Amino acid sequence: TTVNSLKDESVDIIIEDGSHIIEDQLFVLREWTTKLKKEGILVIEDIQKEEHLDLFKAQAGKLNCSCTIYDLRSEDKSYDNILIEIIKR
């Protein structure tokens, strides 16, 4: 499904499990949040670097979204098991 094939504010939840490249993940955050209903949830997983988290927080704030971070790396010893939950306000 492409972002343009969905109506704005028509989706309850989106789970991004695609590219692990920061630019691609930020694109998903910017473009796909327009498709979320109010209180809709966008989950982006496999954040590669801890220092990228501030970029997500800043972008979420600009989009009037809340941002919760779940660091799950200690559970499976994976370096990239950081998950971000974005909720559209």
Side-chain angles (χ1 to χ4, degrees):
T1 302
T2 64
V3 72
N4 293 327
S5 67
L6 296 171
K7 293 180 182 177
D8 286 352
E9 299 184 353
S10 64
V11 180
D12 292 311
I13 187 166
I14 299 168
I15 301 174
E16 184 276 337
D17 188 21
S19 170
H20 296 176
I21 299 169
I22 183 67
E23 292 82 8
D24 296 341
Q25 291 171 322
L26 289 171
F27 172 84
V28 168
L29 175 57
R30 282 190 311 271
E31 300 300 321
W32 284 87
T33 52
T34 63
K35 305 307 175 185
L36 289 173
K37 295 178 182 176
K38 187 175 180 181
E39 303 301 321
I41 299 170
L42 168 64
V43 176
I44 300 175
E45 60 176 16
D46 297 330
I47 307 303
Q48 297 288 303
K49 297 181 180 179
E50 227 174 299
E51 53 266 24
H52 291 162
L53 298 176
D54 287 336
L55 297 171
F56 286 99
K57 290 178 190 176
Q59 189 66 50
K62 289 178 185 177
L63 297 168
N64 194 32
C65 296
S66 66
C67 179
T68 304
I69 297 165
Y70 300 93
D71 188 346
L72 306 171
R73 293 175 294 179
S74 64
E75 294 183 20
D76 69 356
K77 308 289 190 252
S78 177
Y79 77 95
D80 67 348
N81 202 4
I82 301 173
L83 181 133
I84 296 178
E85 175 190 60
I86 306 293
I87 299 178
K88 186 174 183 178
R89 299 288 175 215

